[in-house]
Amino acid sequence: MTNAGKPATGGGEHWPAVCVVGPLPPPSGGMANQCEQLLRLLRADGASVELVRTNPPYRPHWIGGVPLLRAGFRLLPYLLQLWRAIGRAAVVHVLANSGWAWHLFAAPAIVVARWRNTPVIINYRGGNADSFLASAPEHVRRRLADVSLRVTPSAFLQRVFAKYGLSAEVIPNIVDLARFVPVARRSFGSAPHLVVTRNLEEIYDVPTALRAFARIRAAFPQAQLTVAGSGPERERLQLLADELGLRNSVRFAGRIANAAMPAIYAAADCLLNPSTVDNMPISILEGFASGVPVVSTDAGGIPDLVQHGVSGLLVAVGDDRAMAREALRVLQDAELAATLRRAGLEQAEHYAWPQIRARWLAAYSRVASGRVAS
């Protein structure tokens, strides 16, 4: 379906006018950071882009602490903003996730776009997509089937969609190579610096990284770990760090603004990614682009992004022994670390804006002109 009465292009190279529906930091997270970055890059390219934010601050602030009330306070303004912004767009780009986020934000955007006769791209990003689609009511899959185009960041989610009879196009996450750049590697001696750059939520399994780090400290007594992220698990993780004797060697940096993340990677000798559920983690892409060797679990779509022994080292979910072993390989073998850095930097080039820009331009243009069938 098309909306012939709307402007076909904004500024730049024939970009259709786009309404992006998605979150912004804070809090920082993969989808929020990608949404912010996409908006910035599109606007810098001259595209006509309007955002409908799915996580605006609560006003007054105290409403955020009352679950049912906060949902109502967000829903009505959200629907009104959707109605207005979608009415000015030639295509709607919805950044979608699983669970309640789908029902509260993605589904209403699809409905309003249908009322406004505007085509929709669902950019589905949730690593829990398989379990969500397996248990979700039938109308969720119908909504997904009805949109003009489904886009996933990874072949992993493309395979999940195919399992439920839904086609999808892969347009990967973006890493901004103007911001995330490699620095000269330092000689760390007995004091390597490792980082975890995931939010403190159960699915990211930071306890496994802490236990792995405790094992690494046996070989490198002066090693330091920075955990850059916020979330409900912080207190439990701090207690675990104390139990492991890591109080003076682990820094919980809390929420880090995306603009400050390059400095975190610049000071790192190894990136640990212990997640149990994942799709295409931007933290790994940022590590690649920053020249930081990556040791990650093989959860979800990570093996599509990280080739074991080539661009990074992979271990089973929850295996702190294996994570420590592979991290020690990186820290003790300078040649291996250099090989991983080179491969990671080459991999990052595939996710730079010039490559991803062409894919989004093609997708927006096809959908806005009605050349994509659902």
Side-chain angles (χ1 to χ4, degrees):
M1 62 187 164
T2 62
N3 202 336
K6 297 178 186 178
T9 61
E13 187 187 348
H14 307 294
W15 288 97
V18 181
C19 171
V20 173
V21 181
L24 292 179
S28 291
M31 190 158 79
N33 289 337
Q34 280 292 294
C35 185
E36 180 182 58
Q37 184 167 244
L38 179 66
L39 289 167
R40 175 169 48 80
L41 293 169
L42 286 172
R43 287 166 178 163
D45 207 54
S48 173
V49 187
E50 186 169 357
L51 171 70
V52 177
R53 186 174 176 180
T54 56
N55 65 338
Y58 291 104
R59 292 188 176 89
H61 181 73
W62 60 266
I63 290 171
V66 186
L68 290 177
L69 187 60
R70 71 188 182 196
F73 263 70
R74 266 192 180 162
L75 182 59
L76 293 177
Y78 176 63
L79 292 174
L80 180 60
Q81 291 165 24
L82 283 174
W83 181 264
R84 290 172 174 169
I86 288 174
R88 293 187 284 265
V91 59
V92 183
H93 176 167
V94 181
L95 283 79
N97 209 332
S98 306
W100 280 107
W102 169 268
H103 300 293
L104 292 174
F105 304 122
I110 295 171
V111 171
V112 172
R114 179 171 289 278
W115 289 342
R116 298 294 262 167
N117 196 32
T118 306
V120 174
I121 297 173
I122 285 292
N123 184 196
Y124 203 98
R125 316 182 69 82
N128 277 318
D130 195 1
S131 58
F132 175 63
L133 292 175
S135 60
E138 178 61 30
H139 67 78
V140 171
R141 291 186 288 277
R142 285 201 305 270
R143 290 265 187 248
L144 277 167
D146 285 346
V147 302
S148 296
L149 181 66
R150 291 159 296 278
V151 172
T152 68
S154 68
F156 164 69
L157 279 186
Q158 187 184 46
R159 294 191 295 271
V160 170
F161 272 40
K163 178 178 174 181
Y164 296 93
L166 298 165
S167 62
E169 181 174 319
V170 175
I171 301 181
N173 284 334
I174 306 159
V175 63
D176 188 349
L177 298 187
R179 296 178 55 241
F180 294 93
V181 296
V183 299
R185 290 295 106 188
R186 67 192 182 102
S187 176
F188 52 75
S190 63
H193 180 207
L194 297 90
V195 297
V196 173
T197 54
R198 304 308 297 259
N199 280 333
L200 310 185
E201 300 172 18
E202 189 173 353
I203 62 170
Y204 297 127
D205 193 20
V206 179
T208 287
L210 292 176
R211 294 187 180 99
F213 180 65
R215 297 177 183 279
I216 292 165
R217 289 268 297 179
F220 290 93
Q222 303 304 313
Q224 297 289 309
L225 174 68
T226 295
V227 180
S230 62
E233 295 285 294
R234 177 164 182 154
E235 184 176 348
R236 185 170 76 93
L237 292 169
Q238 288 175 320
L239 289 172
L240 177 60
D242 288 347
E243 291 171 10
L244 293 169
L246 302 174
R247 172 175 294 188
N248 296 321
S249 57
V250 175
R251 180 172 75 99
F252 289 92
R255 181 182 299 165
I256 303 291
N258 191 248
M261 286 304 298
I264 296 290
Y265 295 108
D269 300 302
C270 182
L271 171 69
L272 302 180
N273 180 66
S275 52
T276 64
V277 174
D278 236 320
N279 170 31
M280 185 190 182
I282 189 64
S283 57
I284 290 181
L285 286 182
E286 291 170 349
F288 281 167
S290 303
V292 181
V294 172
V295 177
S296 174
T297 58
D298 59 1
I302 292 173
D304 291 314
L305 176 62
V306 180
Q307 185 178 354
H308 178 65
V310 178
S311 56
L313 301 176
L314 298 178
V315 302
V317 169
D319 192 340
D320 59 274
R321 288 179 180 270
M323 179 163 281
R325 182 189 67 239
E326 298 300 272
L328 286 171
R329 287 181 63 200
V330 168
L331 299 174
Q332 294 171 334
D333 186 340
E335 185 176 342
L336 172 63
T339 299
L340 295 179
R341 277 196 291 271
R342 285 193 297 270
L345 289 168
E346 290 176 6
Q347 183 82 335
E349 293 285 347
H350 297 294
Y351 306 103
W353 177 237
Q355 284 70 42
I356 309 305
R357 172 194 180 279
R359 298 195 191 191
W360 278 121
L361 176 59
Y364 290 158
S365 299
R366 282 185 283 123
V367 169
S369 66
R371 287 184 284 125
V372 175
S374 61

